[in-house]
Amino acid sequence: MGIVGFALRLPHTFYVLASLILFLGLTAIVSMPTDIFPEINIPVVTVIWQYTGLSTPEMEQRVTTYSEYSLSSSVNGIKDIEAQTLNGISVQKIFFQPDVNLDLAIAQIVSGTNSIRALMPAGIQAPIVVQYNASSVPVLQISLSSDTLNEQHLYD
C-alpha cells in the first residue's frame, strides 16, 4: 500500500511526474533525427570491362589480369581488389583505405586503365568506372505475384 497511499496523500506529485514524462518525451521526439538510415560513405570503386566474343578464361587472361596489375601498381590507397569474370565482362571492385581521396583515386584508375588498353584485345572500349554508394543500395527487395489479382491490387 506504499505507492498507492503516497499517491492518495500527494496527488499533485504524480501530476507533476506525468507532465515531466510527457514534456521529456515530446522533447526527445522533436530532437530525434528523422533519417532512419545514416549516411554511409564506403570508399569502393567498380571498374567494368566489356568485350563481347571472349570466353571467360580468355577474358580473365587478356583483360582482368592486366587490369588488376595496372591498378595495383598505379593507384594509391588500395586495401583490396575483388574481380569477377564472365563471358565478355570483367567486374573489379576496388576497396580503398578509409582516408583516401576518391576523386584522386578515380582519376588514377582512369589513367591506369587507359595506359594498358594497348595490351588488351584490339577494339576494347574504355571501362566503366562507378563509385559505389551504400545509401543507394536497397536494403530489401520483395516480389509478389498472383493468379487472381492484378498489378494494382498487389501494389495496394
Side-chain angles (χ1 to χ4, degrees):
M1 184 102 165
I3 194 162
V4 174
F6 182 72
L8 291 174
R9 278 184 280 133
L10 299 169
H12 299 297
T13 304
F14 283 90
Y15 294 142
V16 170
L17 284 175
S19 301
L20 182 65
I21 290 171
L22 182 66
F23 174 73
L24 291 175
L26 290 174
T27 305
I29 289 172
V30 169
S31 65
M32 186 181 302
T34 56
D35 190 12
I36 295 173
F37 300 110
E39 184 70 26
I40 300 172
N41 293 324
I42 300 173
V44 178
V45 175
T46 304
V47 178
I48 303 168
W49 291 92
Q50 295 176 344
Y51 190 77
T52 56
L54 286 181
S55 65
T56 303
E58 287 181 24
M59 190 74 179
E60 185 174 358
Q61 290 173 355
R62 300 179 71 186
V63 176
T64 306
T65 305
Y66 288 128
S67 179
E68 283 182 346
Y69 288 148
S70 172
L71 293 175
S72 64
S73 64
S74 65
V75 180
N76 297 329
I78 293 178
K79 181 166 63 171
D80 189 25
I81 297 177
E82 292 179 3
Q84 182 178 11
T85 307
L86 303 169
N87 284 338
I89 296 176
S90 172
V91 179
Q92 299 166 355
K93 287 184 183 177
I94 306 164
F95 297 87
F96 290 97
Q97 300 295 335
D99 60 342
V100 79
N101 181 358
L102 273 182
D103 294 330
L104 176 63
I106 290 173
Q108 289 175 343
I109 288 171
V110 170
S111 68
T113 55
N114 284 336
S115 67
I116 61 163
R117 280 183 49 202
L119 301 173
M120 303 268 182
I124 193 166
Q125 298 295 317
I128 300 169
V129 179
V130 180
Q131 181 180 349
Y132 177 75
N133 188 355
S135 60
S136 66
V137 176
V139 176
L140 174 70
Q141 290 183 341
I142 188 166
S143 175
L144 299 174
S145 65
S146 173
D147 294 333
T148 59
L149 298 176
N150 63 16
E151 187 175 331
Q152 184 62 40
H153 286 102
L154 282 176
Y155 181 78
D156 290 342

